[in-house]
């Protein structure tokens, strides 16, 4: 019996390691007015997220900056897909969803002179091999106090970019984040976006104070000090950009 249990555990571990990397979409809506933002938020809450749920996508993240830039108001939408095929087929399936068309009519059929947003951009990513499937954060407390930190690490060249991804995977930077309970939702290689070459990842905290304490612990961690001192991984980040977000109340993440 013991041998059977050990074999089952081994097979389970092999399955997790062999999981195909998910594909992620980060859609960023840009608005000129709060009325536009509210209109899109209502569409996401009442029409788009329910439609994605009907397509089997159960964990969709909807966030807005903790401090909005009044000249460029934003909403961030994070959608995970099982594969490229899943991603490419979704728009066709949504186009056939009568419930979505009815519930989202105000957004979908908006006239040209009453556009619901100023522009929309999409970032397409593939999950790191070290964490091929997204994870829901294990947080308690109100969403209104949480801090979600989306980071983009730009590299000077593609070679340095691949080196930074290797640092997360083979160097086990992911393991350090996991050990220190950063509650990462995903780590992804950007396949198409405006800041390439760059990986991105999303960590989550119960509050700003909690976020600051976690990063202080990270900076002092012995494993991180050892990893960051290795000559192999020097100079692989040329720009570190941080976006501090808060989940909307209807966000699944």
């Amino acid at each position: 019996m013991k041998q059977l249990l050990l074999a089952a555990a081994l097979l389970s571990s092999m399955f997790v390691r062999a999981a195909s990397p998910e594909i992620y979409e980060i859609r960023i809506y840009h608005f000129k007015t709060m009325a536009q933002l509210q209109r899109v938020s209502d569409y996401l809450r009442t029409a788009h997220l329910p439609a994605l749920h009907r397509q089997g996508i159960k964990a969709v993240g909807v966030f807005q900056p903790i401090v909005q830039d009044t000249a460029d108001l934003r909403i961030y939408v994070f959608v995970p897909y099982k594969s490229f095929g899943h991603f490419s087929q979704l728009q066709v399936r949504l186009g056939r969803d009568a419930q979505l068309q009815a519930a989202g009519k105000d957004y979908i059929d908006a006239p040209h002179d009453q556009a619901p947003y100023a522009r929309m951009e999409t970032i397409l990513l593939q999950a790191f091999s070290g964490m091929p499937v997204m994870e829901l954060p294990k947080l308690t407390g109100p969403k209104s106090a949480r801090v979600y930190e989306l980071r983009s690490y730009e590299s000077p060249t593609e070679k340095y970019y691949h080196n930074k991804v290797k640092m997360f995977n083979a160097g086990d930077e992911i393991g350090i984040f996991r050990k220190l309970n950063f509650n990462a939702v995903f780590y992804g290689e950007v396949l198409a976006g405006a800041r390439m070459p760059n990986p991105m990842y999303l960590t989550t905290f119960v509050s700003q104070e909690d976020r600051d304490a976690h990063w202080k612990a990270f900076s002092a961690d012995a494993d991180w000090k050892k990893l960051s001192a290795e000559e192999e991984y020097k100079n692989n980040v040329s720009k570190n950009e941080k976006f501090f977000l808060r989940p909307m109340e209807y966000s699944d993440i």
Side-chain angles (χ1 to χ4, degrees):
M1 182 67 178
K2 185 176 180 180
Q3 289 179 326
L4 287 173
L5 290 173
L6 287 172
L10 178 61
L11 286 171
S12 176
S13 175
M14 291 173 62
F15 174 77
V16 170
R17 288 199 298 271
S20 297
E22 292 181 322
I23 299 299
Y24 303 129
E25 177 189 7
I26 299 176
R27 183 179 299 179
I28 307 173
Y29 290 93
H30 298 261
F31 310 101
K32 293 180 179 179
T33 68
M34 284 300 299
Q36 285 183 318
L37 187 152
Q38 188 60 55
R39 188 177 183 183
V40 170
S41 180
D42 289 344
Y43 164 73
L44 294 170
R45 176 177 54 84
T46 63
H48 194 65
L49 262 67
L52 293 177
H53 294 163
R54 289 193 293 274
Q55 292 296 328
I57 302 174
K58 301 302 182 184
V60 181
V62 185
F63 316 97
Q64 60 179 332
I66 291 176
V67 178
Q68 285 276 18
D69 179 354
T70 55
D72 182 22
L73 301 166
R74 299 185 181 191
I75 286 179
Y76 292 72
V77 182
F78 170 79
V79 185
Y81 302 92
K82 297 175 182 177
S83 65
F84 279 111
H86 189 203
F87 166 75
S88 63
Q89 295 163 12
L90 182 69
Q91 294 307 316
V92 174
R93 293 176 179 173
L94 292 179
R96 297 170 180 166
D97 187 331
Q99 288 179 259
L100 171 62
Q101 303 306 311
K105 183 176 177 58
D106 181 61
Y107 170 92
I108 295 169
D109 294 334
H112 74 278
D113 56 351
Q114 296 179 38
Y117 49 81
R119 72 180 187 279
M120 180 175 65
E121 63 176 294
T122 293
I123 304 169
L124 191 66
L125 311 94
Q126 181 170 325
F128 282 7
S129 61
M131 186 173 155
V133 178
M134 65 156 288
E135 298 180 7
L136 291 174
K138 301 177 180 64
L139 299 179
T140 57
K143 288 183 177 180
S144 60
R146 294 180 188 176
V147 173
Y148 287 20
E149 186 171 356
L150 180 65
R151 285 202 174 203
S152 168
Y153 288 164
E154 294 180 45
S155 297
T157 68
E158 291 95 329
K159 183 176 180 179
Y160 279 108
Y161 157 74
H162 290 299
N163 178 264
K164 182 57 185 176
V165 174
K166 179 182 177 182
M167 189 175 181
F168 272 100
N169 291 320
D172 203 26
E173 188 171 346
I174 290 175
I176 299 172
F177 279 108
R178 191 179 295 276
K179 177 185 70 174
L180 297 175
N181 298 314
F182 269 69
N183 278 298
V185 174
F186 75 89
Y187 300 90
E189 299 187 52
V190 174
L191 305 176
R195 294 174 170 82
M196 298 177 69
N198 66 312
M200 298 181 77
Y201 65 95
L202 179 66
T203 51
T204 62
F205 312 94
V206 297
S207 65
Q208 184 65 49
E209 293 75 17
D210 182 48
R211 179 266 177 197
D212 294 345
H214 273 78
W215 278 107
K216 183 177 181 180
F218 183 87
S219 298
D221 183 77
D223 291 332
W224 167 245
K225 287 184 176 181
K226 180 181 177 181
L227 179 63
S228 60
E230 292 185 17
E231 193 64 32
E232 176 184 2
Y233 297 123
K234 294 292 185 180
N235 304 311
N236 57 16
V237 174
S238 56
K239 184 177 182 180
N240 176 353
E241 196 164 13
K242 300 182 285 289
F243 304 91
F244 293 103
L245 309 175
R246 185 152 287 150
M248 308 292 265
E249 278 303 315
Y250 55 87
S251 175
D252 300 319
I253 298 174

